[in-house]
Amino acid sequence: MRMYDLIKKKRDGGALTDKEIAYMIGGYTNGQIPDYQMSAMMMAMYYQGLSEAETLSLTMEMAHSGELLDLSAIQGIKVDKHSTGGVGDKTSLALTPMVAACGVKVAKMSGRGLGHTGGTIDKLESFTGFHTDITTEQFVSQVNRIGIAIMGQTADLAPADKKLYALRDVTATVDQMSLIASSIMSKKLAAGADAIVLDVKTGSGAFMKREADAEALAREMVRIGNGAGRRTTAVITDMDQPLGFAVGNALEVQEAIETLKGNGPEDFLELCLTLGSHMLLAADEADTVEQARERLLAVIKNQAALQKLAEFVAAQGGDADMVYHPERLPKASLTESVCADKDGYIAGIICDEVGICSLMLGGGRETKEDVIDLSVGIVFRKKKGDVVRQGEAIATLHANDAEKLAAAKERLTRAVKIEEKPVAKAALIKQVITEA
Ligand code: URA
């Protein structure tokens, strides 16, 4: 077999066989197939698309390119949750303790932020001492003991995807539906959970700007997951404005803590209840969505979810006292607000622009090596559809550098649109998909 022939076949619209995909992924992972040939293949796939069979085959080969996490030593149904990424997406911080407090085993692998989107691990590191570099044995034993653990992606988990994703990132081949589906699902399958709940974002801050594309991606991932014997649910949710009010690592942690105390933003709480219900259903911890929601609300009310967060933070070396005293989280030295220049309604908040503003303040990474400032970010006071008066604050920037603050403020001002006519509020939950 020759890589040249496979590239030509795909370029001309042919479908690759399982054997050809196995040859390609094996050869690329072990370095025999060079980046330049794989780049050409990715571009051919980008334009020609992949069949269902090719997507499944690519996913399975990437999942099996490294270690498969064995979670069989954890009793019960293990549930994982994944978001396709967004701005202000602090969901895992509140959702995982809520679900764990209801008795579901949460064995989750998370990542760091890159570009305009944040990552759960960075956010959790706002708790002094918290770390995710735990061994698989520690991970398994912690889930058995307290029902929840989060670890960073091990070097040997789906290494083919790691290499390929980095290549796609620099060859303009990320935003192809089948390539995204196989990339995400290869990691989820290798991470070993029995059930997977996917939060597929759509809107200006998401990969999939159009809902129809998000739906196609969601269906593809559900097909792969269910086909591999993992109970998979996808929820399509709005990312046309930041989730909740806070964007930035420690600021988002604070908002997640407030949510667990019962004082969270409406949209963020709704997302946690929706995703959480499907996690409870997948783990056979509830029979209906309504029953699941009641249980989730109860663990907020009786503070069991807040205590579970503290227990989880302590188990991974963090200062759990910060859960009860969030004023001890990293805090920026400067604040300044963006105010409305006229009366009207918030017509839109360009989501990826908000992510870039947070990045400019130092809250994100341009490259993997960048060190981030956990304390900076933006706290909104308004959502799409809200009324504003001239001079009223729409958002407050938190910064440690006056120059960065001025530049981010100017950009954020341009990202918020005000109109004189009333604007409809955006629906957060768009669809729930359990079958492809
Ligand atoms: N996230 C991934 O893990 N892979 C993609 O291809 C896109 C988003």
Side-chain angles (χ1 to χ4, degrees):
M1 219 177 274
R2 290 194 322 150
M3 186 62 179
Y4 176 91
D5 297 326
L6 304 192
I7 298 169
K8 189 161 176 287
K9 184 176 180 187
K10 193 75 223 168
R11 183 199 70 186
D12 295 340
L16 300 180
T17 65
D18 290 350
K19 273 199 180 130
E20 287 168 337
I21 290 175
Y23 165 81
M24 173 179 93
I25 293 300
Y28 187 58
T29 310
N30 69 24
Q32 275 166 3
I33 293 173
D35 279 347
Y36 53 82
Q37 282 192 310
M38 201 51 147
S39 304
M41 176 59 90
M42 288 298 110
M43 195 54 86
M45 286 183 160
Y46 185 91
Y47 278 113
Q48 294 291 356
L50 282 83
S51 68
E52 275 177 30
E54 284 176 297
T55 309
L56 185 62
S57 180
L58 182 61
T59 311
M60 289 313 194
E61 285 305 327
M62 293 201 296
H64 286 87
S65 63
E67 76 169 328
L68 295 175
L69 229 63
D70 178 7
L71 302 183
S72 58
I74 302 174
Q75 300 106 37
I77 300 173
K78 282 79 67 184
V79 184
D80 196 355
K81 171 255 163 194
H82 181 84
S83 156
T84 57
V87 177
D89 188 2
K90 70 231 33 126
T91 311
S92 294
L93 304 177
L95 172 66
T96 53
M98 280 166 68
V99 165
C102 290
V104 173
K105 295 283 170 53
V106 182
K108 179 158 170 47
M109 217 166 251
S110 287
R112 292 189 183 274
L114 189 62
H116 76 277
T117 60
T120 301
I121 295 183
D122 296 322
K123 293 172 198 183
L124 282 166
E125 284 176 356
S126 301
F127 295 108
T128 310
F130 186 94
H131 65 93
T132 49
D133 52 343
I134 53 178
T135 63
T136 308
E137 291 70 34
Q138 287 168 323
F139 182 70
V140 165
S141 112
Q142 188 177 314
V143 179
N144 269 333
R145 194 160 37 84
I146 65 167
I148 175 171
I150 294 186
M151 72 190 285
Q153 195 178 321
T154 60
D156 200 34
L157 190 106
D161 172 65
K162 200 172 235 180
K163 219 175 151 186
L164 211 48
Y165 192 23
L167 186 75
R168 287 166 55 217
D169 209 19
V170 292
T171 54
T173 51
V174 168
D175 51 341
Q176 203 284 340
M177 209 242 320
S178 302
L179 295 180
I180 296 177
S182 57
S183 166
I184 292 174
M185 292 308 288
S186 66
K187 288 177 286 229
K188 292 288 114 185
L189 297 182
D194 306 303
I196 303 161
V197 175
L198 301 162
D199 180 5
V200 181
K201 305 284 191 193
T202 182
S204 64
F207 275 120
M208 298 292 158
K209 309 283 179 215
R210 296 178 334 128
E211 190 178 332
D213 295 333
E215 183 183 342
L217 173 63
R219 289 198 186 279
E220 186 93 59
M221 292 196 288
V222 168
R223 182 181 303 118
I224 294 170
N226 286 339
R230 318 289 172 91
R231 202 160 162 182
T232 307
T233 305
V235 183
I236 300 179
T237 69
D238 182 68
M239 194 28 79
D240 217 25
Q241 63 179 333
L243 181 64
F245 292 113
V247 178
N249 297 284
L251 294 168
E252 292 185 39
V253 169
Q254 201 163 341
E255 189 164 77
I257 291 172
E258 284 307 314
T259 304
L260 295 181
K261 287 183 182 166
N263 309 320
E266 208 181 303
D267 62 337
F268 179 53
L269 176 65
E270 180 54 35
L271 183 64
C272 291
L273 293 174
T274 305
L275 295 172
S277 310
H278 290 286
M279 290 173 83
L280 261 63
L281 288 176
D284 289 337
E285 284 288 338
D287 296 325
T288 62
V289 168
E290 294 70 31
Q291 199 183 67
R293 284 176 79 94
E294 266 175 38
R295 291 198 58 195
L296 291 161
L297 285 167
V299 294
I300 292 180
K301 202 158 178 214
N302 67 14
Q303 302 233 322
L306 189 70
Q307 284 159 16
K308 187 56 78 181
L309 175 64
E311 201 180 359
F312 158 58
V313 168
Q316 294 195 211
D319 181 349
D321 179 64
M322 291 165 109
V323 171
Y324 300 107
H325 296 282
E327 68 281 1
R328 292 188 50 231
L329 288 163
K331 211 179 190 130
S333 54
L334 308 169
T335 56
E336 213 168 296
S337 294
V338 167
C339 298
D341 59 357
K342 58 180 176 191
D343 288 357
Y345 297 84
I346 304 289
I349 300 171
I350 307 172
C351 209
D352 41 7
E353 281 294 304
V354 175
I356 292 168
C357 291
S358 177
L359 187 75
M360 288 165 74
L361 292 169
R365 289 187 189 81
E366 307 253 15
T367 70
K368 280 191 190 139
E369 289 70 36
D370 286 351
V371 175
I372 58 174
D373 183 342
L374 295 167
S375 67
V376 300
I378 300 147
V379 179
F380 282 85
R381 300 179 182 230
K382 300 281 174 186
K383 304 279 301 183
K384 191 172 170 190
D386 283 353
V387 176
V388 272
R389 297 274 162 237
Q390 187 177 14
E392 196 181 356
I394 297 169
T396 303
L397 295 105
H398 294 242
N400 286 316
D401 178 308
E403 249 175 61
K404 289 181 184 171
L405 174 60
K409 185 178 172 185
E410 198 206 319
R411 193 156 183 160
L412 189 64
T413 306
R414 280 186 271 120
V416 180
K417 306 283 170 226
I418 299 174
E419 276 178 14
E420 274 150 34
K421 288 199 190 121
V423 175
K425 299 218 175 220
L428 179 73
I429 310 295
K430 300 194 178 283
Q431 285 185 62
V432 177
I433 293 169
T434 52
E435 273 170 35

